[in-house]
Amino acid sequence: VVNYEIIAEGVRAIVASGHIRLAETLAECIASLCLKDRRVRLARVRVEKLDVFADAASAGVEIERNNPQGPMPNVQTRL
């Protein structure tokens, strides 16, 4: 089982580390954090910037990354 509090703390640390110019970069950092746990087979991350454009509610990106190490044997976990 993935501990979501650890993921949330990691995301808070990424965001607190300083300004990240691109939503794509932030999404990649979050996905990498999630995939450090070999039990995580896939990470899908959506990042949105609110109130960027007057005629849109938000602008953002969604990425999906697979764990290059692969899952641990006999363990299936969803993030």
Side-chain angles (χ1 to χ4, degrees):
V1 175
V2 174
N3 184 332
Y4 293 101
E5 185 59 32
I6 291 172
I7 298 294
E9 288 172 3
V11 172
R12 286 185 200 106
I14 291 168
V15 173
S17 69
H19 179 72
I20 298 174
R21 184 178 159 100
L22 299 174
E24 292 85 351
T25 303
L26 177 58
E28 290 288 350
C29 290
I30 294 169
S32 292
L33 168 73
C34 295
L35 294 175
K36 286 181 181 178
D37 185 333
R38 284 191 56 199
R39 296 171 297 172
V40 176
R41 299 170 67 184
L42 180 132
R44 183 178 300 131
V45 179
R46 180 183 305 154
V47 175
E48 294 183 69
K49 293 182 179 182
L50 305 177
D51 301 321
V52 175
F53 301 108
D55 58 344
S58 66
V61 62
E62 181 173 313
I63 64 168
E64 185 175 295
R65 299 292 179 262
N66 293 309
N67 196 330
Q69 298 176 6
M72 293 174 61
N74 300 320
V75 176
Q76 293 182 351
T77 304
R78 294 182 187 185
L79 176 64

